[in-house]
Amino acid sequence: MTKLLERAMERAQALPAAVQDEIARLVLAYAGEDDEVLTLTPAEEADLLEARAEMERGEFATDEEVNAVFAKYRASAGR
């Protein structure tokens, strides 16, 4: 295991169980070992379709918008 992955797993251990499970699903899916079928709610499916349409139109967040989101979550993680 790389140092970066090890550090990520250590940080994940401090997160709530539901978040840990979501991280585990993503890692397993990325590694091609996820047997679970992802089922989206109608709202999630609509959000995904809208996101794809935005991508096709070339509508992406600015660097400032992305930095604002990261700053928000960094601040809440430090509490």
Side-chain angles (χ1 to χ4, degrees):
M1 179 181 307
T2 68
K3 295 285 185 189
L4 181 59
L5 183 55
E6 186 175 316
R7 191 173 94 216
M9 292 300 114
E10 287 172 1
R11 296 279 304 266
Q13 289 175 344
L15 298 171
V19 177
Q20 289 184 34
D21 285 347
E22 185 61 25
I23 292 168
R25 283 186 200 89
L26 292 170
V27 171
L28 289 170
Y30 188 77
E33 296 184 24
D34 187 16
D35 293 333
E36 293 184 38
V37 175
L38 177 62
T39 304
L40 300 176
T41 66
E44 291 169 332
E45 188 170 355
D47 286 345
L48 179 60
L49 292 173
E50 178 56 27
R52 285 183 179 166
E54 289 170 352
M55 287 176 19
E56 289 173 5
R57 293 190 300 264
E59 298 174 4
F60 298 99
T62 65
D63 288 344
E64 292 79 20
E65 291 169 326
V66 171
N67 288 332
V69 171
F70 281 133
K72 174 184 171 185
Y73 286 101
R74 284 185 189 117
S76 65
R79 292 181 199 180

